[in-house]
Amino acid sequence: MLAASHQVEQTPVAALDAALRNATPHEVIAAALQAIGRERLAVVSSFGSESAALLKVTADVDPSIPVIFLDTGHMFAETLAYRDQLIDILGLRDVRSIKPDAASLARQDADNELWFSDPDACCRIRKVEPLARALAPFAAWINGRKRFQGGLRAAIPVVEQDGARVKFNPFANVSREDIVAIYRSANLPQHPLVASGFRSIGCMPCTSRADAGEDERAGRWRGRGKTECGIHTVATSAV
Ligand code: SF4
């Protein structure tokens, strides 16, 4: 097991990445659990359009692994309902819904319109900073990014350093077909908005439908020149 300290030199990230490069998502999460330990490992999920696959594999490995959900205050009601449905179906025992700091909101986004005037600042106070606080007790985290999502995600490794933490990307290698197969074999429900054309689902003001010919994340921050919220591009321990 890795030491509980956040010291970078104590995390054999390159060795883990090499060992897990061709591993299945189940194998990656099981290896993360063994290397880090449940008390120091968290999954981060948006409970979005493909999230149930990661959550199902997590629950198969250990349903008590903490799951962090960033409840930004701008979530679709359907996402909150889907979160509760998946907790129930998968038997997830430790889902933590994290809200933004009330004082930061009052100071910087009192009218709830910062998403329009400055979406990077909005993501910072509603996602990046709350995640950094939520991850403080953990030495490593797991997320559901896939290379097939393109953009900055096209070259993600399976295991990487994220500031002072280790980040596991157990779905880096998987295809869209693999995810469909997980949903099918486990009879997982779809996010309610998928049926109406939403293919990647985040906050309500910054999510729109994506056409079949577009990248699946094309509906996120459409027209804003922004493709990521920052939780994967800013080291969480540096916030
Ligand atoms: S996705 Fe939009 S609403 Fe959500 S935190 Fe970022 S800018 Fe704000």
Side-chain angles (χ1 to χ4, degrees):
M1 185 180 295
L2 291 177
S5 160
H6 286 181
Q7 295 304 304
V8 174
E9 62 272 19
Q10 292 177 318
T11 58
V13 169
L16 272 173
D17 183 54
L20 297 172
R21 200 159 287 160
N22 300 308
T24 65
H26 190 288
E27 289 168 339
V28 174
I29 295 174
L33 187 61
Q34 185 178 24
I36 307 293
R38 188 204 291 153
E39 307 307 317
R40 306 287 288 162
L41 179 69
V43 171
V44 175
S45 176
S46 65
F47 288 83
S49 57
E50 291 171 340
S51 298
L54 171 64
L55 295 168
K56 164 63 179 160
V57 179
T58 299
D60 286 348
V61 174
D62 182 346
S64 294
I65 295 174
V67 176
I68 293 170
F69 167 67
L70 298 173
D71 183 356
T72 64
H74 281 307
M75 308 309 291
F76 288 97
E78 289 87 343
T79 298
L80 302 179
Y82 190 51
R83 172 199 58 187
D84 296 344
Q85 182 185 20
L86 290 180
I87 290 171
D88 192 38
I89 289 172
L90 299 175
L92 298 167
R93 295 192 191 128
D94 189 4
V95 175
R96 306 176 187 187
S97 292
I98 307 297
K99 293 183 183 295
D101 176 63
S104 295
L105 290 183
R107 197 170 52 247
Q108 298 178 64
D109 193 13
D111 58 5
N112 288 325
E113 292 187 351
L114 192 60
W115 65 269
F116 182 71
S117 59
D118 189 345
D120 287 340
C122 185
C123 281
R124 190 178 65 248
I125 64 170
R126 292 180 183 272
K127 290 188 174 185
V128 177
E129 292 175 357
L131 179 62
R133 283 194 297 275
L135 284 178
F138 299 104
W141 58 299
I142 297 170
N143 71 101
R145 290 175 303 161
K146 282 79 64 177
R147 289 190 193 128
F148 72 71
Q149 291 175 308
L152 294 175
R153 304 184 175 200
I156 54 172
V158 173
V159 189
E160 61 187 317
Q161 196 72 44
D162 174 39
R165 288 191 188 82
V166 181
K167 182 154 65 170
F168 291 88
N169 307 310
F171 279 67
N173 284 323
V174 306
S175 65
R176 189 170 281 115
E177 292 71 29
D178 293 330
I179 291 174
V180 170
I182 293 172
Y183 271 75
R184 216 170 261 151
S185 68
N187 198 24
L188 297 173
Q190 291 283 357
H191 188 293
L193 294 177
V194 168
S196 44
F198 290 88
R199 293 169 57 207
S200 176
I201 300 161
C203 293
M204 189 164 42
C206 303
T207 300
S208 60
R209 293 173 176 79
D211 293 335
E214 294 183 302
D215 284 347
E216 73 173 32
R217 288 176 58 82
R220 306 287 292 277
W221 303 283
R222 188 181 286 282
R224 304 303 300 268
K226 176 177 168 70
T227 60
E228 296 281 348
C229 64
I231 66 169
H232 295 295
T233 53
V234 179
T236 51
S237 51
V239 175

